[in-house]
Amino acid sequence: MYMVTTTWRHDKPIDKVNMRKILSGLKDRNNISEVIDVMWFEIDEVTHGSVLIYSSKEACEKDMKARNNNREDSGLKMLREEKGETFAVMSEL
């Protein structure tokens, strides 16, 4: 598996209901892209974090191309991004 974590700054308070709708709309595309799961969480009222779990680095790279196109129009500012191959997963031990 391959993981990506990001932190995002919004211009105004997070609209959690709308964000859930956006994530729900991505479900079908994510299955095609080998995205295992996506989680968004609140850091504060204008900052959210995300965790994306991919089946492989190649699946991540393919999906990131599509995500980067959407990110340009989002009005969000990425504060941080970390990527890497998993080497220990508790549920697999």
Side-chain angles (χ1 to χ4, degrees), residues 25 29 41 57 62:
R29 185 180 66 80
F41 59 94
K57 182 177 182 179
K62 179 181 173 184

Side-chain angles (χ1 to χ4, degrees), residues 48-61:
H48 87 272
S50 69
V51 177
L52 292 90
I53 305 170
Y54 293 95
S55 59
S56 67
K57 182 177 182 179
E58 294 76 25
C60 173
E61 289 170 350

Side-chain angles (χ1 to χ4, degrees), residues 23-78:
L23 190 58
S24 178
L26 296 175
K27 270 179 104 168
D28 291 333
R29 185 180 66 80
N30 285 343
N31 291 335
I32 294 167
S33 304
E34 298 179 288
V35 178
I36 294 170
D37 213 341
V38 177
M39 292 158 268
W40 291 342
F41 59 94
E42 180 180 26
I43 297 170
D44 62 40
E45 71 174 6
V46 294
T47 311
H48 87 272
S50 69
V51 177
L52 292 90
I53 305 170
Y54 293 95
S55 59
S56 67
K57 182 177 182 179
E58 294 76 25
C60 173
E61 289 170 350
K62 179 181 173 184
D63 187 57
M64 282 297 166
K65 289 179 185 176
R67 286 188 189 277
N68 286 337
N69 291 336
N70 291 335
R71 288 175 175 171
E72 291 176 11
D73 299 329
S74 70
L76 302 175
K77 178 182 179 188
M78 186 190 307

